[in-house]
Each structure stands twice: as structure tokens, then as C-alpha cells.
Amino acid sequence: LLAKCGKRKSMVQIGNQKTTADSLPNQDKYNAFLSGQVDSKKGISGLKLGDSKEKMFQILGLNKTYKSLKDRDIYYYGPNTTEIVITLAPPNTGVIRRIEVNYRFRGQTTGGAKIGDSREKVKSSYPGALATDSALFSVYCDGTTFFFSNDRLKSISLVELDFDAFKTARIKKCKAQ
């Protein structure tokens, strides 16, 4: 419920509205995305690096939860605004440069790995060359990064080279790819 407060006519929320994955606007699109597949060439659930903001809205629905920075816009989807994070650049008219999914993602990689799987299963099932590897992450030459916590897959991201924190490692180890 929203109510007018005093003469200033400002709006405040009354009550404690709990947001869940099932109470989100565009919940069908959101749920379908979370059940899709991760493929470095086809993207995550059909949303690819290089796609437009309009394509993102078509696949995931409209979203007003975003942060506009000097060189990029970052859109957040999910009840905690961290379940799906998408970076577009340049701001306002950009294309998708980074897509990340975390613990609510129920889909899988083309090799069958899922969030929560062991590090060994993820690495053995994912095709491609490693650019860099540690206990916390595995970065592949195709721009796919798997993040681990306690030896379990925590999140997956697809990142264009120029927006990748692991750009140097990818350039050094992935020249021929």
C-alpha cells in the first residue's frame, strides 16, 4: 500500500511486501530465462553478448532496476536484484557486454553442469581452452567464467574481452582462438 504523507504529498510504502521470484513483473520470462542453457556462442537462455537492450527486454521483460555509470549501464533482475546481472555499453544505447547468473539459475551448460555442481564436474564437462584457473574461478578463452565457492559452482558469466577482468590472461593464453 502507498499512502500520502502530510502536505508534502510524498509517497511511502506501508506494510512489508515480500518480493519473491514468483511475484516479480514478467515472472514467466524471468523463470524461463533461469531454466535455459549456457552456451558461449548462443548466450544464456538465448540472450547473447552483442544483443541490444531491446532484445534483453524481449527475453527478460522490462526492468527499471539499473545503475547508469559513465561508461556502461548495469541491469539487475531477480527478487534480490543479483540473480541476473547484465552490463550494456555504451550507456543508454549500448549492447550487452556481460551476462551473469547465480544461485537461482536452474539451467545448465552445454556439457550438463549446473549451479551447485563440483568444480571437477564443471571443468570436465565444459569444452574449450582455459585462459586461467584458480580455486575460485575458471576462465575460458571463449569468455565464459565459472566462479566457485567451497568447490561448488556459484555463478556463471559470459563476458566480452574488452569488459573482462581477466582480459590479460585471455589475450596471453588464447591468441590462436
Side-chain angles (χ1 to χ4, degrees), residues 54-66:
E54 289 76 23
K55 177 78 176 200
M56 176 182 74
F57 289 156
Q58 178 185 4
I59 291 174
L60 279 162
L62 291 175
N63 184 355
K64 295 180 181 176
T65 306
Y66 70 95

Side-chain angles (χ1 to χ4, degrees), residues 111 113-114 116-126 130 133-135 138 140 146 148 150-153:
K114 297 178 179 182
D117 281 349
S118 71
R119 179 178 165 65
E120 188 55 43
K121 179 175 181 177
V122 172
K123 288 181 66 180
S124 67
S125 69
Y126 196 79
L130 275 168
D133 195 28
S134 80
S138 295
Y140 286 81
F146 298 103
F148 300 95
N150 298 320
D151 201 41
R152 297 289 175 187
L153 182 58

Side-chain angles (χ1 to χ4, degrees), residues 25-30 33 47 53-65 75-77 86:
N26 306 300
Q27 75 183 44
D28 291 339
K29 291 180 178 187
Y30 171 80
F33 186 89
L47 188 62
K53 179 169 48 173
E54 289 76 23
K55 177 78 176 200
M56 176 182 74
F57 289 156
Q58 178 185 4
I59 291 174
L60 279 162
L62 291 175
N63 184 355
K64 295 180 181 176
T65 306
Y75 283 80
Y76 303 92
Y77 285 86
I86 301 172

Side-chain angles (χ1 to χ4, degrees), residues 156-174:
I156 306 167
S157 66
L158 299 180
V159 187
E160 281 192 358
L161 183 62
D162 286 337
F163 285 81
D164 198 341
F166 302 104
K167 179 179 179 177
T168 303
R170 284 178 60 192
I171 290 172
K172 186 177 180 181
K173 294 239 181 150
C174 307

Side-chain angles (χ1 to χ4, degrees), residues 16-104:
N16 184 11
Q17 179 184 1
K18 184 173 178 168
T19 304
T20 67
D22 293 328
S23 67
L24 294 169
N26 306 300
Q27 75 183 44
D28 291 339
K29 291 180 178 187
Y30 171 80
N31 287 331
F33 186 89
L34 289 178
S35 298
Q37 188 172 58
V38 177
D39 181 303
S40 64
K41 292 180 179 71
K42 296 178 183 176
I44 298 177
S45 300
L47 188 62
K48 302 183 302 273
L49 298 176
D51 280 349
S52 67
K53 179 169 48 173
E54 289 76 23
K55 177 78 176 200
M56 176 182 74
F57 289 156
Q58 178 185 4
I59 291 174
L60 279 162
L62 291 175
N63 184 355
K64 295 180 181 176
T65 306
Y66 70 95
K67 183 187 317 181
S68 189
L69 303 173
K70 181 178 174 181
D71 63 342
R72 65 191 75 190
D73 291 330
I74 305 171
Y75 283 80
Y76 303 92
Y77 285 86
N80 297 314
T81 67
T82 61
E83 289 78 4
I84 303 169
V85 180
I86 301 172
T87 302
L88 293 93
N92 300 317
T93 60
V95 297
I96 295 172
R97 307 294 184 183
R98 184 174 193 275
I99 306 168
E100 182 174 354
V101 293
N102 72 8
Y103 71 97
R104 289 196 193 264

